[in-house]
Amino acid sequence: MEMMDLFIAGIGIILAGGLVSMVLPERLKSWAVALGTGCGAALIAWVSLNALFEESPITAAYVLSYPTGTVRLVIDKLAAFFSLVIAGISFLGTVYAIGYMKPYYGKKNGTTSHFFFLAALIASMLSVIALQNAVAFLIAWEIMSLSSFFLVAFENESEEVYQASINYLIAMHIGVLFLMVGFLAAAFQSGSFDFASFTTVFQEHRGLASLVFVLLFIGFGTKAGFVPFHTWLPKAHPAAPSHISGLMSGIMIKTGIYGILRTVLLIQTPAFEIAYFVLIISVISGILGVAYAIAQHNIKRLLAYHSVENIGIIGIGIGLGMLGTAYGNVPLALLGYSGGILHVLNHSIFKSLLFFATGGVYQKTHLLDIEKLGGIVKFMAFTATAFLVGSIAICGLPPFNGFVSEFFIYWGMLKGLTAGNTLLSIAMVFSFASLAFIGAMALLCFTKVFGVVFLGSPRSEYHEAPVEVSFSMKAAMAIQMGLIVLIGVLPQYALSGVALVAQQLMPEGGKALDTSPYLITLGGVSKGLAVFIGLFAAIFFLRALLLRKRSVYTYKTWDCGYQAGNVRMQYTASSYAAPFLRIFRPLFSWKIHFTKPQGLFPGEAGFESHAEDRFERGIINPVLSMIERSMNAFTWIQSGSTQQYILYGLVFLISITLWIMVV
Amino acid sequence: MMITIINIALLLIMPFLFLGFINRIKSRWAGRKGPSIMQPFRDFMKLMKKGEVISSTSSFVFRLAPSVTFAAVITAGLIAPLAGGKSVISFEADFILFAYVLGIGRFFTVVGALDTGSSFEGMGASREVTFAALVEPAFFIIIASLGLISGGLSFERIFEIAKGGDVAILVLPLGIIALFIMLLAEGCRVPVDDPNTHLELTMIHEVMVLDNSGPDMGFIMYAAGMKMVVIGALIANLVIPAAFPLWASLGLMIAVQALLAVVIGTIESVTARLRMTHVPQFLLFMTAISAIIISTVVLFIAGGIK
């Protein structure tokens, strides 16, 4: 029991930090939350590490009354892993916020609520992970959605931010509706809201298990951002302050992944159809997420679409794990789950790093439009390096962490490919090619962002020359970069860590699995990476040696003899992405504004094209407007007249009385 | 140990010979005598002795880029099986590292190009990444198909076993064509790109390195040649029988590479570069072939979809 008390105390300290910050003067608020989160996160990390490496999970039960019944808290390996990730990234986020929120002090009233809800978000995320009772889970889930809603709506005086936050709120509530139906369907059969009782029901009713899984997948998938439930993401992320985008994209959407994994754990051995369903949805999310990202010109919107892509990659890993379980293919299950779970950690690190670096650029230039930026590396070398490291990691390139998790997933696919089942083999070949395609597109996208934003010359006049960000922001980014390199070059330890979680998700046979044969291969990877890094160092040293006593001088960029080049002649992000977008035109719905030059002395003329999300225009928006129309039919209920409301109460009471009398 | 040394020597020497040989063939087609086969090596040594001019727009990324790219290509070369079908570094699923390490090389070439702020280099960079996005999935399908035939999971094992059996007669020629298209695309040769073009607007690889000079340029040139040799080695591995003794297979490897150089030189002499908007169609041809390969494998080896 003691350990669980520490965990709860950790959540309490984080909340206390938020409460204390409310009464403090403005410049101390961020410190209070960072301190609270730091202490709380340390406690939670300690408990989680214990739970991760102990045999039995940490549990506690609290007898509460209606509506929850007994509430169990469990920190098993799955929960321990997620709470570790959440605690770590949350702490970095609050440290980053110290520097990031400084310009807002004295200018904005919302900082009190902002810091309180930041603490509330972190506390609720951690509670979601531990709670094992459907009702309590949904309450914590709702607190998480609401506190993040208030965080997104921070700059609510802007119409765009306001719209985005309302859109987010609606999406979250449609998502939670599916969760409620799913949980109710299971609870109706089992007679209890406790998760453990669901497992027994799912064992007996396989059909119900699959149905509940799909319902919960939609609910959790809305949070996680699977296509086609992703449309809130690219709206909410640009609207929120950067540390919030970092936390939302880095860890909050992972609570959706946690929910899916928890459901998998409840179902234990999933049906084939369900596993293929997860795999297919994930492949589609991965491909479309990155394809849509390429068309974006707002950095944060672009990064948001990349979250859709990375959730897709995580989902591919989970899908492989489920397929492995369904087919009894232990290596496939182990590597699939391990890859997906490790990608949860990796993505939380590099995506929050990318958002933090972007936040630094925004703080100093007040710009998010890629086409207006450029040459930032000359003003903010640290931030540029951070973004470069994050870019390489998110493209899944060696020697950084993104490569390791993608390698596990590829490797798992190979194990499935050669397992002898034709259908599985075909599925593996196509997911194999899809993941390669996703990787190549991510490379296109991030060379575009990094190249256009940070390199070259500024494309517009900055109000003032940007300067490097403050120490607290740098500190957070430095830690993230360190982690990225560490996981990247030591894949063996990464597997040893996540295999524990993966084995919990696998049926009995997998739990006793010896992972040492896998470590031999990872030793090979590690050797290859070492050779690469060594060769690079040697070549770079050779270059320096050769150039030591020679003339190295700088001159204008070669522009084919034309001597009046200017910054407007640089390649833009749109032109960079154009060849790709032309080939994959059908994926997007295009909006083109074209004003032809007219008359003998043409005046204004212009051409603008926007690539839009097909799912948003084709599926989500029509559905939303349909809901809106049908809801409008009920507006007469809310008339504003008190007498009418009293009548409702009366009608309700009479019908209840009648019902009791009859039944 | 012996094989390791031979492989490393092959990897280091062949790029120069390969480039030299192509130039020689092209000269023959043009009715000229042509430069010595060792000319690329002499160029390389000359570049090594020079200083550098660096664009004032650029940052540290530009200085790092050629070294990263070169290191990446060498690493890929060490993973690819060369003489005797053996790699220097080999482990399960090693070809994923192979593809991704080439990816990091590409990443740096591209950001290095963008660092100069030149519109031409941006154009080349954009084409490079777009075409790579088309080539990569097809490459993975081909390797996966070979893996499905052989049941092997590393480069060495895949090539060792995939050559046996009846289906090889169908799959191997297709595989050779597809990998050859990849060689042309990755090596930036006609019809995807023309290394000898004189107009920056029409280049891909050469335009990305317009601002490089001195040792950096030497690394880039060397790496470009090595990349072709490495992909050429994959093609050679499809042809060379697995059971051959080391010396025979070494000779065959060199012979296949020479043949590839002849074919490339001939193509460059008799055909023109495709219009940029048509290149994707050419590359999608590779995807189509890879799709045929996987269907063949599924139908004939796995006995259809059960």
Side-chain angles (χ1 to χ4, degrees), chain A residues 215-262:
Chain A
L215 284 169
L216 294 185
F217 184 87
I218 295 173
F220 288 128
T222 311
K223 192 65 150 187
F226 279 101
V227 169
F229 322 114
H230 68 285
T231 51
W232 65 270
L233 251 148
K235 289 199 170 74
H237 283 13
S242 292
H243 54 288
I244 302 304
S245 327
L247 293 193
M248 282 174 69
S249 189
I251 49 180
M252 195 191 74
I253 60 171
K254 305 298 166 41
T255 56
I257 296 291
Y258 166 79
I260 291 167
L261 286 173
R262 179 60 70 191

Side-chain angles (χ1 to χ4, degrees), chain B residues 31-88:
Chain B
R32 293 182 285 122
K33 184 160 168 279
S36 146
I37 277 189
M38 291 309 287
Q39 193 56 42
F41 180 70
R42 288 183 199 146
D43 290 346
F44 176 74
M45 289 318 285
K46 197 165 126 196
L47 284 168
M48 285 292 133
K49 287 178 192 140
K50 288 189 174 246
E52 285 192 0
V53 185
I54 288 171
S55 158
S56 53
T57 318
S58 67
S59 66
F60 69 94
V61 177
F62 183 78
R63 287 163 186 78
L64 286 178
S67 310
V68 175
T69 309
F70 190 31
V73 176
I74 301 178
T75 312
L78 294 175
I79 297 169
L82 293 165
K86 293 271 179 270
S87 321
V88 178

Side-chain angles (χ1 to χ4, degrees), chain A residues 549-569:
Chain A
K549 283 184 181 161
R550 296 195 195 135
S551 77
V552 176
Y553 64 97
T554 55
Y555 192 70
K556 281 175 66 169
T557 296
W558 166 245
D559 42 12
C560 307
Y562 181 67
Q563 285 298 308
N566 61 38
V567 293
R568 296 238 339 167
M569 286 169 61

Side-chain angles (χ1 to χ4, degrees), chain A residues 362-646:
Chain A
Y362 177 68
Q363 191 186 45
K364 300 299 174 191
T365 62
H366 305 289
L367 292 170
L368 283 175
D369 186 350
I370 299 175
E371 305 286 33
K372 294 198 173 106
L373 290 156
I376 298 287
V377 66
K378 290 182 202 70
F379 308 104
M380 303 163 77
F382 183 87
T383 308
T385 311
F387 199 93
L388 176 64
V389 170
S391 303
I392 296 172
I394 199 171
C395 292
L397 294 172
F400 292 155
N401 67 352
F403 172 72
V404 177
S405 39
E406 287 194 24
F407 181 82
F408 287 168
I409 294 174
Y410 276 122
W411 190 15
M413 286 177 189
L414 288 173
K415 297 277 190 190
L417 178 76
T418 50
N421 182 301
T422 317
L423 187 60
L424 184 64
S425 295
I426 295 170
M428 290 304 102
V429 171
F430 283 105
S431 3
F432 205 61
S434 307
L435 196 52
F437 189 41
I438 292 168
M441 285 196 283
L443 195 150
L444 194 164
C445 196
F446 274 92
T447 49
K448 167 185 126 174
V449 189
F450 182 71
V452 174
V453 172
F454 290 91
L455 306 178
S457 311
R459 285 168 175 75
S460 61
E461 292 266 325
Y462 299 133
H463 292 295
E464 53 207 79
V467 288
E468 196 49 83
V469 294
S470 63
F471 177 75
S472 76
M473 292 161 79
K474 274 202 246 177
M477 289 192 267
I479 294 172
Q480 287 162 325
M481 282 194 270
L483 289 171
I484 284 175
V485 175
L486 208 64
I487 299 174
V489 295
L490 296 170
Q492 305 94 314
Y493 297 96
L495 180 71
S496 307
V498 289
L500 294 170
V501 187
Q503 282 170 329
Q504 196 199 345
L505 290 160
M506 290 155 63
E508 287 310 313
K511 291 205 166 76
L513 184 73
D514 178 21
T515 52
S516 53
Y518 296 89
L519 298 182
I520 298 169
T521 298
L522 291 176
V525 177
S526 188
K527 194 171 123 195
L529 294 178
V531 166
F532 169 61
I533 295 168
L535 277 171
F536 161 69
I539 293 167
F540 198 63
F541 179 70
L542 174 73
R543 175 186 182 273
L545 207 66
L546 286 171
L547 292 176
R548 201 167 33 130
K549 283 184 181 161
R550 296 195 195 135
S551 77
V552 176
Y553 64 97
T554 55
Y555 192 70
K556 281 175 66 169
T557 296
W558 166 245
D559 42 12
C560 307
Y562 181 67
Q563 285 298 308
N566 61 38
V567 293
R568 296 238 339 167
M569 286 169 61
Q570 288 180 97
Y571 227 48
T572 60
S574 322
S575 40
Y576 190 79
F580 178 86
L581 295 180
R582 197 175 301 131
I583 301 170
F584 295 96
R585 209 179 166 78
L587 284 182
F588 304 88
S589 84
W590 291 85
K591 236 190 201 167
I592 290 170
H593 306 280
F594 182 35
T595 333
K596 274 187 181 166
Q598 284 189 339
L600 286 175
F601 300 98
E604 291 267 308
F607 179 85
E608 247 183 276
S609 71
H610 301 274
E612 288 186 354
D613 197 324
R614 263 204 188 284
F615 286 88
E616 193 176 343
R617 281 174 66 91
I619 299 178
I620 302 299
N621 284 352
V623 169
L624 284 185
S625 59
M626 199 185 75
I627 293 175
E628 196 184 341
R629 270 200 306 278
S630 48
M631 288 299 146
N632 278 339
F634 295 97
T635 44
W636 57 268
I637 294 176
Q638 195 188 7
S639 62
S641 118
T642 319
Q643 291 92 326
Q644 199 177 324
Y645 293 159
I646 294 172

Side-chain angles (χ1 to χ4, degrees), chain A residues 38-365:
Chain A
C39 298
L43 272 180
I44 284 164
W46 166 247
V47 177
S48 307
L49 280 174
N50 266 303
L52 197 58
F53 293 105
E54 288 290 318
E55 270 303 304
S56 51
I58 298 167
T59 56
Y62 301 89
V63 184
L64 301 179
S65 59
Y66 183 81
T68 51
T70 304
V71 175
R72 280 186 317 120
L73 293 177
V74 175
I75 312 287
D76 52 8
K77 291 185 168 58
L78 179 66
F81 180 80
F82 275 86
S83 46
L84 205 58
V85 174
I86 291 172
I89 302 293
S90 298
F91 173 60
L92 292 177
T94 52
V95 169
Y96 178 88
I98 296 173
Y100 187 76
M101 291 299 284
K102 232 175 233 164
Y104 292 101
Y105 297 153
K107 288 184 190 155
K108 194 147 171 31
N109 308 326
T111 48
T112 305
S113 69
H114 176 84
F115 282 110
F116 171 71
F117 283 120
L118 178 56
L121 171 65
I122 298 167
S124 58
M125 282 192 288
L126 289 163
S127 319
V128 160
I129 302 303
L131 287 167
Q132 294 287 314
N133 178 295
V135 177
F137 180 91
L138 284 175
I139 292 171
W141 186 265
E142 193 59 23
I143 295 172
M144 181 172 84
S145 295
L146 285 176
S147 48
S148 52
F149 161 73
F150 287 114
L151 292 169
V152 172
F154 179 60
E155 294 187 78
N156 53 11
E157 59 277 358
S158 134
E159 174 68 22
E160 204 176 320
V161 170
Y162 184 71
Q163 289 291 342
S165 44
I166 295 292
N167 183 291
Y168 170 62
L169 195 67
I170 294 171
M172 284 307 103
H173 283 97
I174 294 175
V176 89
L177 208 65
F178 281 95
L179 292 185
M180 280 179 182
V181 176
F183 282 138
L184 277 177
F188 187 71
Q189 282 289 331
S190 75
S192 155
F193 282 114
D194 194 282
F195 284 171
S197 72
F198 294 174
T199 304
T200 38
V201 175
F202 290 151
Q203 294 296 319
E204 288 158 22
H205 306 76
R206 300 302 299 168
L208 177 77
S210 296
L211 177 74
V212 170
F213 182 87
V214 172
L215 284 169
L216 294 185
F217 184 87
I218 295 173
F220 288 128
T222 311
K223 192 65 150 187
F226 279 101
V227 169
F229 322 114
H230 68 285
T231 51
W232 65 270
L233 251 148
K235 289 199 170 74
H237 283 13
S242 292
H243 54 288
I244 302 304
S245 327
L247 293 193
M248 282 174 69
S249 189
I251 49 180
M252 195 191 74
I253 60 171
K254 305 298 166 41
T255 56
I257 296 291
Y258 166 79
I260 291 167
L261 286 173
R262 179 60 70 191
T263 317
V264 170
L265 201 56
L266 294 180
I267 290 181
Q268 293 195 338
T269 314
F272 302 103
E273 297 79 15
I274 292 295
Y276 279 118
F277 165 78
V278 173
L279 185 66
I280 291 167
I281 291 259
S282 305
V283 167
I284 294 172
S285 298
I287 292 178
L288 289 180
V290 60
Y292 285 142
I294 290 172
Q296 302 305 321
H297 299 313
N298 175 309
I299 315 182
K300 284 172 98 179
R301 216 175 137 79
L302 181 147
L303 290 176
Y305 271 115
H306 270 285
S307 294
V308 177
E309 173 222 337
N310 278 285
I311 286 294
I313 295 176
I314 293 168
I316 292 174
I318 296 172
L320 292 181
M322 290 168 73
L323 275 175
T325 315
Y327 281 105
N329 185 335
V330 176
L332 174 61
L334 177 78
L335 290 169
Y337 280 137
S338 298
I341 290 164
L342 184 61
H343 207 72
V344 167
L345 171 65
N346 289 344
H347 180 250
S348 75
I349 300 170
F350 57 64
K351 182 49 74 62
S352 53
L353 174 65
L354 287 166
F355 269 118
F356 290 179
T358 306
V361 173
Y362 177 68
Q363 191 186 45
K364 300 299 174 191
T365 62

Side-chain angles (χ1 to χ4, degrees), chain B residues 277-294:
Chain B
T277 44
H278 289 178
V279 173
Q281 293 164 7
F282 178 67
L283 298 178
L284 287 174
F285 179 48
M286 178 182 171
T287 313
I289 294 175
S290 67
I292 297 173
I293 294 177
I294 184 66

Side-chain angles (χ1 to χ4, degrees), chain B residues 94-167:
Chain B
D94 52 3
F95 51 85
I96 292 157
L97 184 61
F98 171 86
Y100 274 70
V101 90
L102 285 179
I104 183 98
R106 178 176 302 122
F107 187 99
F108 269 90
T109 312
V110 164
V111 292
L114 290 170
D115 202 7
T116 61
S118 149
S119 48
F120 294 118
E121 297 195 32
M123 210 176 273
S126 156
R127 289 167 183 168
E128 166 90 14
V129 288
T130 306
F131 298 157
L134 299 177
V135 168
E136 220 137 88
F139 172 69
F140 273 73
I141 293 181
I142 293 166
I143 297 296
S145 317
L146 294 177
L148 192 51
I149 302 177
S150 66
L153 295 181
S154 72
F155 253 151
E156 281 182 3
R157 300 280 300 154
I158 283 176
F159 285 118
E160 195 181 308
I161 315 172
K163 281 170 283 201
D166 304 330
V167 79

